[in-house]
Amino acid sequence: MSALITEETKQQSTPAFENTAEYADSMDAKDPLASFRDEFHFPVVPETATHRKPGSKSIYLCGNSLGLQPQNTDKYVTEELAKWRKYGVEGHFPDVNPEHPWVAADEDARDDMAAIVGAKPVEVAIMNTLTVNLHLLLCAFYRPTATRFKILMEGKAFPSDKFAIGSQITHHGYDAKEGIIEVWAREGETTIRTEDIEKIIAERGSEIAVVMFSGIQYYTGQLFEMGRITKAAHAQGCKVGFDLAHAVGNAPLKLNEWGCDFACWCTYKYLNSGPGGIAGAFVHERYANTPHEEFPGRLVGWWGHRKSDRFEMNHQFIPSPGAQAFMHSNPPVLCVASLRASTEVFMRAGLQNMRTKSVLLTQYLEHLINTELGPEHVKSITPTDVNQRGAQLSLVFTKDIVAVHTAISEQGVICDVRKPSVMRIAPTPLYNSFRDVWDFVALLKTMLLKN
Ligand SMILES: Cc1ncc(COP(=O)(O)O)c(C=O)c1O
């Protein structure tokens, strides 16, 4: 894998791929991450399948929606259940439960998570779920005034983000229609140009309180230039936040370096923490010691109070340093255990190794889609530049997408469709193989030519 295209080399040419199953197998044979596939549970091919062996591993290309279960999850969660049986309430304390005491459960996955998002541990909190964190961070960072109350976001943002932002604006007594400024792709284009985002910020920055974008666009798979967006927004005095649902565990992130004010993400997609798993929040270190009075909108709870005297039960809130001041409740231990089982795999695999394989795997998918099928059947609307995407390609078909999806699902391919017209295909570096990608395109070809 040494001659791979990497983020560092910034080369844009596509490697000389071959269109055979043997070639895909040869790529798997030299993949240093290949063995990680065995560390995950796979749904199996249905009994009624005719083109793939029933009962064998399905081709799971849906890590953009819900990641597969690591084999270790069972053990990590079961360990906590056993401790609960054995210790009861005393499991909270390090003298009884020295490994992962529940009183510090949120800290267990925090350092790994900080590495994954390019942050310092003080900048990260493991808490709640994504939309809840988005609201809580906006409560603190969205401080509208009569002249600056607008929020800039993607026109085609994920609905929950649109709802959260709209309701934050009305919560403050402003009109959501007036308060949201949307950025759209240009006529005839599917992804948003960074210069168009910068232009709106430069022209209307004085009206904008917060610039809020996703890291990776859920529908098109576009990886936004978060450093550039942050710089443009800060130059106009706007706060900047990112929803990293589709970027975390998928694309390289440098939140501390980029300097955005806040970010939030879920962990059940590429981070494989399980359905509805616990989410993450980032608050830049420049706020690590900001006095609580300077965050008049921040909503707080006892778990955000500094650790040293949290159990004194005083009524004066003294914030923990950094992002942990934004926590409310004691951490859900079973969810954190499940997240730990996943981040541990990430740390062993290595983030750069994963990105290197991910770039290549998705390039292989793109190559096969273009050469085996071509635009008369299907085309990708995801950027072709590897630096502007993660694992996902968003495919648009000339035939009825639901019929295509049903046909491949019956043969044990798992991927999703997002309305109006996109099938999202996300080969992930931890559990997908080059052979998965070859088999997926071969099956797609059979089904498209047949129907
Ligand atoms: C971009 C984006 N934002 C927000 C959400 C909502 O996440 P949750 O239901 O965990 O709040 C999702 C869920 O898939 C998402 O993809």
Side-chain angles (χ1 to χ4, degrees):
M1 301 280 269
S2 56
L4 301 184
I5 290 180
T6 67
E7 266 278 295
E8 284 66 45
T9 59
K10 302 273 180 202
Q11 292 172 40
Q12 295 302 305
S13 60
T14 305
F17 293 124
E18 292 172 26
N19 296 19
T20 63
E22 293 70 33
Y23 172 79
D25 287 342
S26 75
M27 291 298 283
D28 287 329
K30 56 187 176 188
D31 169 11
L33 299 184
S35 63
F36 282 94
R37 181 175 169 84
D38 297 334
E39 297 195 24
F40 289 85
H41 292 284
F42 282 74
V44 296
V45 175
E47 282 306 313
T48 46
T50 47
H51 290 66
R52 292 186 61 76
K53 192 171 162 228
S56 63
K57 281 180 182 164
S58 61
I59 303 176
Y60 194 84
L61 298 166
C62 216
N64 56 295
S65 184
L66 180 74
L68 288 181
Q69 185 185 130
Q71 304 258 6
N72 259 341
T73 306
D74 197 339
K75 173 171 166 282
Y76 278 49
V77 173
T78 308
E79 273 170 11
E80 299 310 317
L81 290 173
K83 286 193 223 164
W84 178 24
R85 281 196 297 276
K86 189 167 167 198
Y87 305 134
V89 69
E90 306 213 304
H92 282 92
F93 309 112
D95 49 338
V96 173
N97 176 12
E99 237 184 285
H100 310 300
W102 302 333
V103 76
D106 54 291
E107 295 167 25
D108 282 350
R110 194 181 59 206
D111 292 0
D112 291 351
M113 188 62 85
I116 291 168
V117 297
K120 298 183 177 173
V122 73
E123 296 176 308
V124 171
I126 306 295
M127 59 188 208
N128 312 317
T129 47
L130 171 54
T131 308
V132 172
N133 287 347
L134 178 56
H135 269 300
L136 292 173
L137 290 162
L138 283 170
C139 283
F141 285 98
Y142 175 55
R143 305 294 299 157
T145 64
T147 53
R148 194 192 268 269
F149 64 89
K150 298 186 178 163
I151 298 184
L152 181 75
M153 65 186 300
E154 304 137 64
K156 206 169 168 38
F158 192 85
S160 203
D161 296 38
K162 189 76 186 281
F163 300 153
I165 287 169
S167 59
Q168 282 281 333
I169 294 171
T170 47
H171 184 69
H172 283 277
Y174 297 95
D175 176 26
K177 272 211 171 74
E178 200 192 339
I180 293 177
I181 305 176
E182 294 179 347
V183 191
W184 289 89
R186 290 184 192 186
E187 188 77 34
E189 298 183 6
T190 47
T191 52
I192 300 176
R193 297 190 192 198
T194 310
E195 65 258 34
D196 289 354
I197 303 171
E198 289 171 325
K199 188 160 175 279
I200 298 182
I201 295 173
E203 286 170 0
R204 304 188 60 181
S206 64
E207 305 163 41
I208 299 170
V210 173
V211 172
M212 182 75 223
F213 267 74
S214 57
I216 286 186
Q217 220 288 335
Y218 81 97
Y219 189 80
T220 65
Q222 176 182 13
L223 172 57
F224 286 109
E225 294 188 82
M226 289 175 264
R228 269 177 72 179
I229 294 171
T230 300
K231 200 165 162 220
H234 281 169
Q236 297 299 322
C238 318
K239 298 280 189 252
V240 191
F242 292 104
D243 171 347
L244 303 174
H246 293 264
V248 70
N250 178 18
L253 297 173
K254 298 177 184 171
L255 296 187
N256 175 271
E257 187 185 314
W258 294 332
C260 58
D261 298 284
F262 65 94
C264 45
W265 57 91
C266 53
T267 63
Y268 45 76
K269 298 179 186 292
Y270 297 96
L271 285 179
N272 311 320
S273 76
I278 192 164
F282 165 90
V283 178
H284 196 272
E285 66 175 330
R286 78 176 76 90
Y287 301 106
N289 296 305
T290 302
H292 184 49
E293 309 74 70
E294 291 179 31
F295 269 125
R298 177 165 67 189
L299 303 176
V300 296
W302 76 313
W303 222 256
H305 184 95
R306 71 178 174 199
K307 226 172 140 179
S308 56
D309 61 353
R310 186 180 289 151
F311 285 87
E312 300 295 322
M313 306 318 234
N314 294 323
H315 280 190
Q316 193 202 348
F317 180 79
I318 303 174
S320 292
Q324 283 115 65
F326 290 72
M327 296 183 69
H328 291 79
S329 302
N330 74 99
V333 169
L334 302 181
C335 291
V336 177
S338 179
L339 177 59
R340 268 197 292 115
S342 165
T343 58
E344 184 274 328
V345 181
F346 271 66
M347 293 303 116
R348 267 191 295 120
L351 298 174
Q352 183 55 52
N353 296 337
M354 287 176 59
R355 173 64 176 169
T356 301
K357 177 176 170 187
S358 174
V359 166
L360 195 67
L361 206 53
T362 299
Q363 279 184 316
Y364 188 47
L365 172 64
E366 184 177 46
H367 164 82
L368 293 177
I369 291 289
N370 291 339
T371 54
E372 290 289 317
L373 290 159
E376 65 272 29
H377 296 294
V378 53
K379 68 175 196 304
S380 163
I381 58 163
T382 305
T384 52
D385 175 0
V386 300
N387 296 308
Q388 289 184 54
R389 70 186 187 201
Q392 172 188 331
L393 290 187
S394 300
L395 304 181
V396 177
F397 291 82
T398 49
K399 283 195 176 145
D400 172 18
I401 194 169
V402 176
V404 176
H405 187 244
T406 305
I408 58 174
S409 301
E410 285 168 359
Q411 302 303 326
V413 171
I414 299 180
C415 62
D416 72 11
V417 164
R418 278 288 170 268
K419 286 187 174 162
S421 54
V422 150
M423 187 185 285
R424 302 187 297 181
I425 303 296
T428 67
L430 278 178
Y431 52 74
N432 284 122
S433 60
F434 289 84
R435 185 61 192 261
D436 276 346
V437 170
W438 167 261
D439 285 347
F440 163 68
V441 177
L443 191 64
L444 194 58
K445 189 174 177 181
T446 308
M447 295 300 158
L448 282 174
L449 299 185
K450 196 170 93 176
N451 287 304

